[in-house]
Amino acid sequence: MTQISAAPEGQPEPVTQIDCARAGIVTPAMRAVAKKEGRDPEFVREGVAAGRIAIPANVHHESLSPEGVGGGLSTKVNVNLGISGDLADEAEEWKKVDVALELGAHAIMDLSNSGKTRAFRTRLIEKSPAMIGTVPMYDAIGYLEKALVDITAEDFLDVVRAHAEDGVDFVTIHAGMNRRTIESFRETGRLTNIVSRGGSLLFAWMEATGNENPFYEFYDDVLAILHEHDVTISIGDAMRPGSTYDASDAGQIAELIEIGKLTRRAWDAGVQVMVEGPGHMALDEIAANMKLEKRLCHDAPFYVLGPLVTDIAPGYDHITAAIGGAIAASSGADFLCYVTPAEHLRLPDADDVREGLVATLIAAHAADIAKGVPGARDRDNRMSDARRRVDWEGMFAEALDPVKARRYFDSAPPSNDGTCTMCGKMCAMRTVNRIMDGLTVDLNLQ
């Protein structure tokens, strides 16, 4: 847990990271983030105080290794997993957790939506040094054992409270989809309508009951729960585009305007904020959307799904998302949610998780190089040096996925040391190394 100094007499005790930052306190979590990022702790504290940086760190998450998300820091990557009603295989979900932690995911979102999910969630929080996120809306029906239309606003708050008490570091709350947002959506229309699962459930509840979005109407109550446990609110984009056709439309932008207002209200309540974004989006729209979010949401950290830059690559959407993610992060996004090859097709398995996570880690790292994040090039330089020396173990050590790299190399071992089967004795590295060492270059290929 984060230890903080006592507040001056007459002032409330600081509870959250943003409370502490505004009080001039550098918490252990801030110091841990600064060390990881190669930044001065005061740089991190100032960023948290201003809302540019969030450190999702629930006071109950004992195993957490804190991460910072936001301006001037490396791009973080999230993995989605969780038990599905159609394919409930808890053992497979734990395999996915192991892959995520092995490859260095910074966050894991438990999107379980079947039955009583608390046991899986609490065990995940106990095990994981990565940040844990959830979408309480997904859990509401199973947790409450009620039909959607019978759930009350207080019921929804009870689910948020349970997740906060369990130790979840950030929760997606679709608070920006209010009556004004829906009016824009209805007036302008869409090709793919509402594709957010949480957003669609809220839309259905609002339409069935005639009520306002409970997370918007009772937003202050949500914030009070989150503040008590230092849970970061990730303001969900219920109106994110589910196709490139719908990108940057009235529904998306209307919701983003509302989210900007909600961001300030959360900060005023001492709650850290991340803002969630698209979605599907053509290449030429991505940079402008990143800048628009930063402008409308006051430089709050931006968390994006992809964006997927084309709609016609099922089976390869980890690639379409990585292309968009690299552009998004290099243009200002701070946090990338991975997409797997199974996107739009089925629940991903552990192999899909590996492929999707590595693709997203590549996108994040490529963006960090472009943004000039301190130390971002160091690993690439070590890899390049190992390649010059044809040091295979050194190369595997620097690889994002050393397991796959080693498997490829071992599947076709070279006949000569200092080469691989791509070039053999004609390897440029081998040739120049031998010349530089004063040796003879033997190109006899027999």
Side-chain angles (χ1 to χ4, degrees), residues 107-135:
I108 297 174
M109 289 199 75
D110 174 16
L111 305 186
S112 296
N113 58 43
S114 175
K116 295 299 185 182
T117 61
R118 192 169 197 176
F120 181 82
R121 180 170 65 250
T122 53
R123 185 179 165 199
L124 177 61
I125 292 166
E126 289 171 1
K127 173 177 180 172
S128 174
M131 302 178 285
I132 301 301
T134 59
V135 186

PDB file of all heavy atoms in Angstrom, residues 107-135:
ATOM      1  N   ALA A 107      -0.790  -3.754 -17.846  1.00  0.00           N
ATOM      2  CA  ALA A 107      -2.121  -3.816 -17.248  1.00  0.00           C
ATOM      3  C   ALA A 107      -2.863  -5.023 -17.794  1.00  0.00           C
ATOM      4  O   ALA A 107      -2.626  -5.468 -18.919  1.00  0.00           O
ATOM      5  CB  ALA A 107      -2.918  -2.546 -17.555  1.00  0.00           C
ATOM      6  N   ILE A 108      -3.750  -5.545 -16.967  1.00  0.00           N
ATOM      7  CA  ILE A 108      -4.650  -6.620 -17.372  1.00  0.00           C
ATOM      8  C   ILE A 108      -6.064  -6.188 -17.002  1.00  0.00           C
ATOM      9  O   ILE A 108      -6.338  -5.849 -15.851  1.00  0.00           O
ATOM     10  CB  ILE A 108      -4.324  -7.945 -16.655  1.00  0.00           C
ATOM     11  CG1 ILE A 108      -2.921  -8.426 -17.035  1.00  0.00           C
ATOM     12  CG2 ILE A 108      -5.370  -9.004 -16.992  1.00  0.00           C
ATOM     13  CD1 ILE A 108      -2.462  -9.653 -16.249  1.00  0.00           C
ATOM     14  N   MET A 109      -6.947  -6.192 -17.990  1.00  0.00           N
ATOM     15  CA  MET A 109      -8.352  -5.917 -17.716  1.00  0.00           C
ATOM     16  C   MET A 109      -9.113  -7.232 -17.660  1.00  0.00           C
ATOM     17  O   MET A 109      -9.096  -8.013 -18.618  1.00  0.00           O
ATOM     18  CB  MET A 109      -8.961  -4.993 -18.772  1.00  0.00           C
ATOM     19  CG  MET A 109      -8.464  -3.556 -18.684  1.00  0.00           C
ATOM     20  SD  MET A 109      -9.553  -2.369 -19.535  1.00  0.00           S
ATOM     21  CE  MET A 109     -10.928  -2.253 -18.371  1.00  0.00           C
ATOM     22  N   ASP A 110      -9.747  -7.476 -16.513  1.00  0.00           N
ATOM     23  CA  ASP A 110     -10.597  -8.648 -16.345  1.00  0.00           C
ATOM     24  C   ASP A 110     -12.000  -8.287 -16.813  1.00  0.00           C
ATOM     25  O   ASP A 110     -12.727  -7.559 -16.138  1.00  0.00           O
ATOM     26  CB  ASP A 110     -10.601  -9.060 -14.868  1.00  0.00           C
ATOM     27  CG  ASP A 110     -11.587 -10.189 -14.587  1.00  0.00           C
ATOM     28  OD1 ASP A 110     -12.032 -10.841 -15.552  1.00  0.00           O
ATOM     29  OD2 ASP A 110     -11.898 -10.397 -13.394  1.00  0.00           O
ATOM     30  N   LEU A 111     -12.358  -8.806 -17.986  1.00  0.00           N
ATOM     31  CA  LEU A 111     -13.658  -8.506 -18.577  1.00  0.00           C
ATOM     32  C   LEU A 111     -14.635  -9.668 -18.403  1.00  0.00           C
ATOM     33  O   LEU A 111     -15.549  -9.847 -19.217  1.00  0.00           O
ATOM     34  CB  LEU A 111     -13.496  -8.158 -20.064  1.00  0.00           C
ATOM     35  CG  LEU A 111     -12.514  -7.026 -20.381  1.00  0.00           C
ATOM     36  CD1 LEU A 111     -12.562  -6.679 -21.866  1.00  0.00           C
ATOM     37  CD2 LEU A 111     -12.791  -5.795 -19.535  1.00  0.00           C
ATOM     38  N   SER A 112     -14.439 -10.447 -17.354  1.00  0.00           N
ATOM     39  CA  SER A 112     -15.326 -11.585 -17.091  1.00  0.00           C
ATOM     40  C   SER A 112     -16.777 -11.116 -17.023  1.00  0.00           C
ATOM     41  O   SER A 112     -17.082 -10.079 -16.431  1.00  0.00           O
ATOM     42  CB  SER A 112     -14.946 -12.253 -15.771  1.00  0.00           C
ATOM     43  OG  SER A 112     -13.645 -12.808 -15.842  1.00  0.00           O
ATOM     44  N   ASN A 113     -17.644 -11.912 -17.634  1.00  0.00           N
ATOM     45  CA  ASN A 113     -19.056 -11.507 -17.691  1.00  0.00           C
ATOM     46  C   ASN A 113     -19.999 -12.669 -17.451  1.00  0.00           C
ATOM     47  O   ASN A 113     -21.174 -12.596 -17.798  1.00  0.00           O
ATOM     48  CB  ASN A 113     -19.368 -10.855 -19.040  1.00  0.00           C
ATOM     49  CG  ASN A 113     -19.072 -11.777 -20.217  1.00  0.00           C
ATOM     50  OD1 ASN A 113     -19.381 -12.961 -20.184  1.00  0.00           O
ATOM     51  ND2 ASN A 113     -18.468 -11.227 -21.257  1.00  0.00           N
ATOM     52  N   SER A 114     -19.484 -13.732 -16.831  1.00  0.00           N
ATOM     53  CA  SER A 114     -20.320 -14.912 -16.649  1.00  0.00           C
ATOM     54  C   SER A 114     -20.264 -15.366 -15.199  1.00  0.00           C
ATOM     55  O   SER A 114     -19.192 -15.584 -14.640  1.00  0.00           O
ATOM     56  CB  SER A 114     -19.836 -16.047 -17.556  1.00  0.00           C
ATOM     57  OG  SER A 114     -20.545 -17.233 -17.319  1.00  0.00           O
ATOM     58  N   GLY A 115     -21.439 -15.496 -14.583  1.00  0.00           N
ATOM     59  CA  GLY A 115     -21.523 -16.046 -13.243  1.00  0.00           C
ATOM     60  C   GLY A 115     -20.905 -15.146 -12.190  1.00  0.00           C
ATOM     61  O   GLY A 115     -20.789 -13.932 -12.356  1.00  0.00           O
ATOM     62  N   LYS A 116     -20.485 -15.768 -11.097  1.00  0.00           N
ATOM     63  CA  LYS A 116     -19.856 -15.045 -10.002  1.00  0.00           C
ATOM     64  C   LYS A 116     -18.359 -14.895 -10.306  1.00  0.00           C
ATOM     65  O   LYS A 116     -17.602 -15.868 -10.225  1.00  0.00           O
ATOM     66  CB  LYS A 116     -20.072 -15.785  -8.683  1.00  0.00           C
ATOM     67  CG  LYS A 116     -21.528 -15.843  -8.257  1.00  0.00           C
ATOM     68  CD  LYS A 116     -22.116 -14.452  -8.037  1.00  0.00           C
ATOM     69  CE  LYS A 116     -23.532 -14.514  -7.505  1.00  0.00           C
ATOM     70  NZ  LYS A 116     -24.140 -13.186  -7.334  1.00  0.00           N
ATOM     71  N   THR A 117     -17.974 -13.708 -10.646  1.00  0.00           N
ATOM     72  CA  THR A 117     -16.613 -13.480 -11.154  1.00  0.00           C
ATOM     73  C   THR A 117     -15.640 -13.042 -10.074  1.00  0.00           C
ATOM     74  O   THR A 117     -14.453 -12.889 -10.343  1.00  0.00           O
ATOM     75  CB  THR A 117     -16.652 -12.385 -12.233  1.00  0.00           C
ATOM     76  OG1 THR A 117     -17.145 -11.169 -11.643  1.00  0.00           O
ATOM     77  CG2 THR A 117     -17.550 -12.780 -13.380  1.00  0.00           C
ATOM     78  N   ARG A 118     -16.121 -12.857  -8.852  1.00  0.00           N
ATOM     79  CA  ARG A 118     -15.272 -12.249  -7.819  1.00  0.00           C
ATOM     80  C   ARG A 118     -14.062 -13.112  -7.476  1.00  0.00           C
ATOM     81  O   ARG A 118     -12.969 -12.594  -7.241  1.00  0.00           O
ATOM     82  CB  ARG A 118     -16.096 -11.979  -6.563  1.00  0.00           C
ATOM     83  CG  ARG A 118     -15.361 -11.098  -5.562  1.00  0.00           C
ATOM     84  CD  ARG A 118     -16.279 -10.614  -4.456  1.00  0.00           C
ATOM     85  NE  ARG A 118     -15.726  -9.489  -3.749  1.00  0.00           N
ATOM     86  CZ  ARG A 118     -16.345  -8.828  -2.783  1.00  0.00           C
ATOM     87  NH1 ARG A 118     -17.568  -9.202  -2.427  1.00  0.00           N
ATOM     88  NH2 ARG A 118     -15.765  -7.820  -2.180  1.00  0.00           N
ATOM     89  N   ALA A 119     -14.229 -14.422  -7.437  1.00  0.00           N
ATOM     90  CA  ALA A 119     -13.122 -15.304  -7.073  1.00  0.00           C
ATOM     91  C   ALA A 119     -11.963 -15.156  -8.057  1.00  0.00           C
ATOM     92  O   ALA A 119     -10.801 -15.052  -7.652  1.00  0.00           O
ATOM     93  CB  ALA A 119     -13.593 -16.753  -7.025  1.00  0.00           C
ATOM     94  N   PHE A 120     -12.277 -15.128  -9.361  1.00  0.00           N
ATOM     95  CA  PHE A 120     -11.225 -14.953 -10.371  1.00  0.00           C
ATOM     96  C   PHE A 120     -10.572 -13.588 -10.222  1.00  0.00           C
ATOM     97  O   PHE A 120      -9.343 -13.455 -10.266  1.00  0.00           O
ATOM     98  CB  PHE A 120     -11.816 -15.119 -11.775  1.00  0.00           C
ATOM     99  CG  PHE A 120     -10.808 -14.975 -12.884  1.00  0.00           C
ATOM    100  CD1 PHE A 120      -9.999 -16.032 -13.247  1.00  0.00           C
ATOM    101  CD2 PHE A 120     -10.670 -13.769 -13.565  1.00  0.00           C
ATOM    102  CE1 PHE A 120      -9.059 -15.908 -14.269  1.00  0.00           C
ATOM    103  CE2 PHE A 120      -9.740 -13.631 -14.584  1.00  0.00           C
ATOM    104  CZ  PHE A 120      -8.936 -14.704 -14.937  1.00  0.00           C
ATOM    105  N   ARG A 121     -11.383 -12.559 -10.030  1.00  0.00           N
ATOM    106  CA  ARG A 121     -10.866 -11.191  -9.938  1.00  0.00           C
ATOM    107  C   ARG A 121      -9.936 -11.020  -8.729  1.00  0.00           C
ATOM    108  O   ARG A 121      -8.855 -10.457  -8.837  1.00  0.00           O
ATOM    109  CB  ARG A 121     -12.030 -10.209  -9.865  1.00  0.00           C
ATOM    110  CG  ARG A 121     -11.609  -8.761  -9.758  1.00  0.00           C
ATOM    111  CD  ARG A 121     -12.793  -7.825  -9.931  1.00  0.00           C
ATOM    112  NE  ARG A 121     -13.791  -7.933  -8.888  1.00  0.00           N
ATOM    113  CZ  ARG A 121     -15.002  -8.450  -9.048  1.00  0.00           C
ATOM    114  NH1 ARG A 121     -15.382  -8.925 -10.204  1.00  0.00           N
ATOM    115  NH2 ARG A 121     -15.859  -8.490  -8.038  1.00  0.00           N
ATOM    116  N   THR A 122     -10.361 -11.507  -7.578  1.00  0.00           N
ATOM    117  CA  THR A 122      -9.553 -11.318  -6.379  1.00  0.00           C
ATOM    118  C   THR A 122      -8.251 -12.106  -6.450  1.00  0.00           C
ATOM    119  O   THR A 122      -7.202 -11.625  -6.006  1.00  0.00           O
ATOM    120  CB  THR A 122     -10.337 -11.716  -5.119  1.00  0.00           C
ATOM    121  OG1 THR A 122     -10.850 -13.049  -5.263  1.00  0.00           O
ATOM    122  CG2 THR A 122     -11.501 -10.771  -4.885  1.00  0.00           C
ATOM    123  N   ARG A 123      -8.306 -13.289  -7.028  1.00  0.00           N
ATOM    124  CA  ARG A 123      -7.070 -14.068  -7.191  1.00  0.00           C
ATOM    125  C   ARG A 123      -6.130 -13.378  -8.171  1.00  0.00           C
ATOM    126  O   ARG A 123      -4.908 -13.351  -7.974  1.00  0.00           O
ATOM    127  CB  ARG A 123      -7.407 -15.485  -7.670  1.00  0.00           C
ATOM    128  CG  ARG A 123      -6.203 -16.402  -7.741  1.00  0.00           C
ATOM    129  CD  ARG A 123      -6.609 -17.791  -8.189  1.00  0.00           C
ATOM    130  NE  ARG A 123      -5.457 -18.580  -8.606  1.00  0.00           N
ATOM    131  CZ  ARG A 123      -5.534 -19.668  -9.366  1.00  0.00           C
ATOM    132  NH1 ARG A 123      -6.720 -20.107  -9.778  1.00  0.00           N
ATOM    133  NH2 ARG A 123      -4.432 -20.323  -9.719  1.00  0.00           N
ATOM    134  N   LEU A 124      -6.688 -12.792  -9.228  1.00  0.00           N
ATOM    135  CA  LEU A 124      -5.873 -12.070 -10.203  1.00  0.00           C
ATOM    136  C   LEU A 124      -5.179 -10.876  -9.542  1.00  0.00           C
ATOM    137  O   LEU A 124      -3.990 -10.629  -9.774  1.00  0.00           O
ATOM    138  CB  LEU A 124      -6.755 -11.598 -11.359  1.00  0.00           C
ATOM    139  CG  LEU A 124      -6.095 -10.762 -12.453  1.00  0.00           C
ATOM    140  CD1 LEU A 124      -4.989 -11.559 -13.147  1.00  0.00           C
ATOM    141  CD2 LEU A 124      -7.134 -10.304 -13.473  1.00  0.00           C
ATOM    142  N   ILE A 125      -5.908 -10.147  -8.718  1.00  0.00           N
ATOM    143  CA  ILE A 125      -5.321  -8.992  -8.028  1.00  0.00           C
ATOM    144  C   ILE A 125      -4.207  -9.445  -7.088  1.00  0.00           C
ATOM    145  O   ILE A 125      -3.147  -8.806  -6.994  1.00  0.00           O
ATOM    146  CB  ILE A 125      -6.421  -8.229  -7.262  1.00  0.00           C
ATOM    147  CG1 ILE A 125      -7.381  -7.572  -8.256  1.00  0.00           C
ATOM    148  CG2 ILE A 125      -5.819  -7.173  -6.332  1.00  0.00           C
ATOM    149  CD1 ILE A 125      -8.677  -7.093  -7.642  1.00  0.00           C
ATOM    150  N   GLU A 126      -4.407 -10.554  -6.406  1.00  0.00           N
ATOM    151  CA  GLU A 126      -3.380 -11.077  -5.499  1.00  0.00           C
ATOM    152  C   GLU A 126      -2.109 -11.473  -6.248  1.00  0.00           C
ATOM    153  O   GLU A 126      -0.997 -11.274  -5.761  1.00  0.00           O
ATOM    154  CB  GLU A 126      -3.926 -12.300  -4.750  1.00  0.00           C
ATOM    155  CG  GLU A 126      -4.988 -11.979  -3.715  1.00  0.00           C
ATOM    156  CD  GLU A 126      -5.634 -13.239  -3.160  1.00  0.00           C
ATOM    157  OE1 GLU A 126      -5.238 -14.361  -3.579  1.00  0.00           O
ATOM    158  OE2 GLU A 126      -6.548 -13.113  -2.321  1.00  0.00           O
ATOM    159  N   LYS A 127      -2.277 -12.004  -7.453  1.00  0.00           N
ATOM    160  CA  LYS A 127      -1.143 -12.543  -8.206  1.00  0.00           C
ATOM    161  C   LYS A 127      -0.406 -11.501  -9.022  1.00  0.00           C
ATOM    162  O   LYS A 127       0.821 -11.583  -9.186  1.00  0.00           O
ATOM    163  CB  LYS A 127      -1.651 -13.647  -9.153  1.00  0.00           C
ATOM    164  CG  LYS A 127      -0.598 -14.179 -10.119  1.00  0.00           C
ATOM    165  CD  LYS A 127      -1.140 -15.310 -10.978  1.00  0.00           C
ATOM    166  CE  LYS A 127      -0.058 -15.821 -11.934  1.00  0.00           C
ATOM    167  NZ  LYS A 127      -0.483 -17.033 -12.659  1.00  0.00           N
ATOM    168  N   SER A 128      -1.103 -10.503  -9.520  1.00  0.00           N
ATOM    169  CA  SER A 128      -0.572  -9.671 -10.590  1.00  0.00           C
ATOM    170  C   SER A 128       0.164  -8.434 -10.091  1.00  0.00           C
ATOM    171  O   SER A 128      -0.419  -7.601  -9.392  1.00  0.00           O
ATOM    172  CB  SER A 128      -1.700  -9.226 -11.529  1.00  0.00           C
ATOM    173  OG  SER A 128      -1.204  -8.312 -12.493  1.00  0.00           O
ATOM    174  N   PRO A 129       1.428  -8.254 -10.522  1.00  0.00           N
ATOM    175  CA  PRO A 129       2.106  -6.977 -10.291  1.00  0.00           C
ATOM    176  C   PRO A 129       1.661  -5.911 -11.292  1.00  0.00           C
ATOM    177  O   PRO A 129       1.927  -4.728 -11.094  1.00  0.00           O
ATOM    178  CB  PRO A 129       3.580  -7.321 -10.485  1.00  0.00           C
ATOM    179  CG  PRO A 129       3.573  -8.469 -11.448  1.00  0.00           C
ATOM    180  CD  PRO A 129       2.319  -9.252 -11.147  1.00  0.00           C
ATOM    181  N   ALA A 130       0.989  -6.328 -12.368  1.00  0.00           N
ATOM    182  CA  ALA A 130       0.466  -5.384 -13.351  1.00  0.00           C
ATOM    183  C   ALA A 130      -0.815  -4.742 -12.822  1.00  0.00           C
ATOM    184  O   ALA A 130      -1.509  -5.298 -11.979  1.00  0.00           O
ATOM    185  CB  ALA A 130       0.175  -6.091 -14.676  1.00  0.00           C
ATOM    186  N   MET A 131      -1.127  -3.545 -13.327  1.00  0.00           N
ATOM    187  CA  MET A 131      -2.382  -2.884 -12.983  1.00  0.00           C
ATOM    188  C   MET A 131      -3.561  -3.763 -13.394  1.00  0.00           C
ATOM    189  O   MET A 131      -3.507  -4.426 -14.435  1.00  0.00           O
ATOM    190  CB  MET A 131      -2.511  -1.546 -13.714  1.00  0.00           C
ATOM    191  CG  MET A 131      -1.410  -0.558 -13.446  1.00  0.00           C
ATOM    192  SD  MET A 131      -1.637   0.981 -14.399  1.00  0.00           S
ATOM    193  CE  MET A 131      -1.140   0.449 -16.062  1.00  0.00           C
ATOM    194  N   ILE A 132      -4.602  -3.747 -12.595  1.00  0.00           N
ATOM    195  CA  ILE A 132      -5.813  -4.507 -12.920  1.00  0.00           C
ATOM    196  C   ILE A 132      -6.960  -3.536 -13.160  1.00  0.00           C
ATOM    197  O   ILE A 132      -7.231  -2.651 -12.347  1.00  0.00           O
ATOM    198  CB  ILE A 132      -6.193  -5.479 -11.797  1.00  0.00           C
ATOM    199  CG1 ILE A 132      -5.063  -6.471 -11.533  1.00  0.00           C
ATOM    200  CG2 ILE A 132      -7.487  -6.216 -12.136  1.00  0.00           C
ATOM    201  CD1 ILE A 132      -4.673  -7.329 -12.728  1.00  0.00           C
ATOM    202  N   GLY A 133      -7.624  -3.715 -14.292  1.00  0.00           N
ATOM    203  CA  GLY A 133      -8.786  -2.911 -14.629  1.00  0.00           C
ATOM    204  C   GLY A 133     -10.003  -3.800 -14.829  1.00  0.00           C
ATOM    205  O   GLY A 133      -9.882  -4.997 -15.118  1.00  0.00           O
ATOM    206  N   THR A 134     -11.176  -3.220 -14.660  1.00  0.00           N
ATOM    207  CA  THR A 134     -12.426  -3.947 -14.890  1.00  0.00           C
ATOM    208  C   THR A 134     -13.455  -3.003 -15.490  1.00  0.00           C
ATOM    209  O   THR A 134     -13.279  -1.780 -15.492  1.00  0.00           O
ATOM    210  CB  THR A 134     -13.020  -4.534 -13.583  1.00  0.00           C
ATOM    211  OG1 THR A 134     -13.267  -3.459 -12.669  1.00  0.00           O
ATOM    212  CG2 THR A 134     -12.087  -5.547 -12.953  1.00  0.00           C
ATOM    213  N   VAL A 135     -14.550  -3.591 -15.972  1.00  0.00           N
ATOM    214  CA  VAL A 135     -15.722  -2.831 -16.404  1.00  0.00           C
ATOM    215  C   VAL A 135     -16.881  -3.323 -15.546  1.00  0.00           C
ATOM    216  O   VAL A 135     -17.500  -4.349 -15.862  1.00  0.00           O
ATOM    217  CB  VAL A 135     -16.021  -3.033 -17.905  1.00  0.00           C
ATOM    218  CG1 VAL A 135     -17.154  -2.112 -18.345  1.00  0.00           C
ATOM    219  CG2 VAL A 135     -14.781  -2.801 -18.748  1.00  0.00           C
TER     220      VAL A 135
END
